[in-house]
């Protein structure tokens, strides 16, 4: 039986929270991020009014000002975004505990079986969107399908306030038409490489054998081979950060090379292992946390069938999770690794702020 997956992604998240809390920003082009003066900040996100001028996330604030001289710059208020994120999560939990957050503003939900016994995932998505509107006063877009990959792409198709359903039998056709840059995990560098090879859409990828794809794109080639055929059996991986143990480090200078990132991961993993040993813990889920130079933060996780706690497994998993994010396309200011899913008995032993312990 196929899964019912919903991907929820908030619309212009930081900017919408600012417009909600400060009515003077409503209907105005605003940028949340660093101011254009001095060393120059970066756009974290822009309101839809500002996007009409071509302003985009990760763009230098100076450029945003050139594109729209009357744009309003707003400094981020992370506590407000976390608060909104928490409320949204509480809404999700009314339907399912199988929730996998990807960042403050997006999450996968598996509603195949859900707490309300609703058979239509589209209906659940509608209800969630409505609750977010009524209770948090923000809009979200939802994608509904039978796989994570397709649900995620679908949520982006009718933004803002969208709800897009891709039926399981339509997935293969949908993937054939999909431009390669929309493939989750394909960053600009890979997309350019593909286009240089005449690969523009899913259907072009489909013409290649698995061996060819691996030859040209490395390990992710295997993933592309499956995904373009609509094969994506990845389960929604719930993980609770407060019930985790880990370590993280903010770097004096942003990391730009994979070598430097792997070196740092190595140090962090060693610390995690030392601390796991201290508590005599093993966990099933390894989570990698990345904060980019513009403060955008993501987490990626992988769960094993059995609890693990050894250095080799942790570092190898963290490195694999890292490589899938195409890290060399970004500047990275923080990396962290944590372990979770310890099992009932051990969870109490781990204090919440243990995660905060930094490297020297
Ligand atoms: N963010 C960031 N830096 C980026 C991208 C995003 O700091 N390069 C932050 C600000 C966003 C939030 O993460 O509000 C969510 O990211 P999204 O990519 O979902 O972008 P938005 O929610 O802002 O817009 P959209 O409506 O396109 O989802
Ligand atoms: Mg969003």
């Amino acid at each position: 039986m196929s899964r019912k997956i919903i991907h929820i992604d908030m619309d212009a998240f930081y900017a919408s929270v600012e417009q909600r809390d400060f009515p003077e920003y409503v209907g105005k082009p605003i940028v949340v991020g660093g101011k254009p003066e001095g060393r120059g900040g970066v756009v974290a996100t822009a309101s839809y009014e500002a996007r009409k001028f071509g302003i985009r996330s990760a763009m230098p604030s100076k450029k945003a000002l050139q594109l729209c001289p009357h744009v309003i710059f707003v400094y981020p208020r992370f506590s407000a975004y976390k608060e909104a994120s928490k409320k949204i999560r509480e809404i999700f939990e009314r339907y399912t505990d199988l929730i996998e957050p990807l960042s403050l503003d997006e999450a996968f939900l598996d509603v195949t079986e859900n707490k309300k016994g609703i058979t239509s995932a589209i209906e659940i998505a509608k209800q969630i969107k409505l609750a977010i509107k009524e209770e948090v006063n923000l809009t979200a877009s939802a994608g509904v399908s039978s796989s994570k990959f397709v649900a995620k792409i679908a949520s982006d198709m009718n933004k803002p306030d969208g709800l897009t359903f891709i039926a399981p039998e339509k997935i293969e056709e949908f993937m054939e038409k999909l431009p390669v840059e929309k493939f989750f995990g394909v960053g600009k560098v890979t997309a350019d490489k593909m286009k240089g090879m005449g690969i523009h859409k899913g259907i072009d990828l489909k013409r290649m054998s698995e061996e060819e794809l691996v030859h040209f794109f490395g390990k992710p080639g295997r993933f592309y081979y499956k995904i373009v055929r609509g094969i994506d059996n990845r389960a929604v991986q719930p993980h609770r950060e407060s019930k985790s143990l880990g370590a993280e480090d903010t770097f004096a200078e942003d990391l730009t090379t994979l070598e430097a990132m792997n070196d740092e991961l190595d140090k962090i993993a060693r610390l995690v292992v030392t601390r796991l040993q201290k508590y005599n813990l093993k966990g099933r889920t390894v989570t990698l946390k990345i904060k980019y130079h513009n403060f955008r933060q993501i987490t990626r996780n992988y769960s094993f069938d059995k609890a693990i706690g050894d250095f080799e497994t942790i570092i190898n998993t963290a490195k694999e999770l890292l490589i899938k994010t195409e890290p060399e396309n970004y500047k990275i200011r923080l990396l962290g690794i944590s372990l979770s899913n310890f099992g009932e008995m051990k969870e109490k032993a781990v204090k919440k702020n243990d995660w905060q312990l930094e490297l020297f």
Side-chain angles (χ1 to χ4, degrees), residues 9-13 105 159:
D9 188 306
M10 303 299 292
D11 301 321
F13 184 49
D105 96 317
K159 266 181 171 292

Side-chain angles (χ1 to χ4, degrees), residues 9-14 44-45 48 51 57 105 159 294 296:
D9 188 306
M10 303 299 292
D11 301 321
F13 184 49
Y14 296 1
T45 198
Y48 282 94
R51 292 184 196 192
S57 288
D105 96 317
K159 266 181 171 292
N294 61 356
R296 175 173 166 77

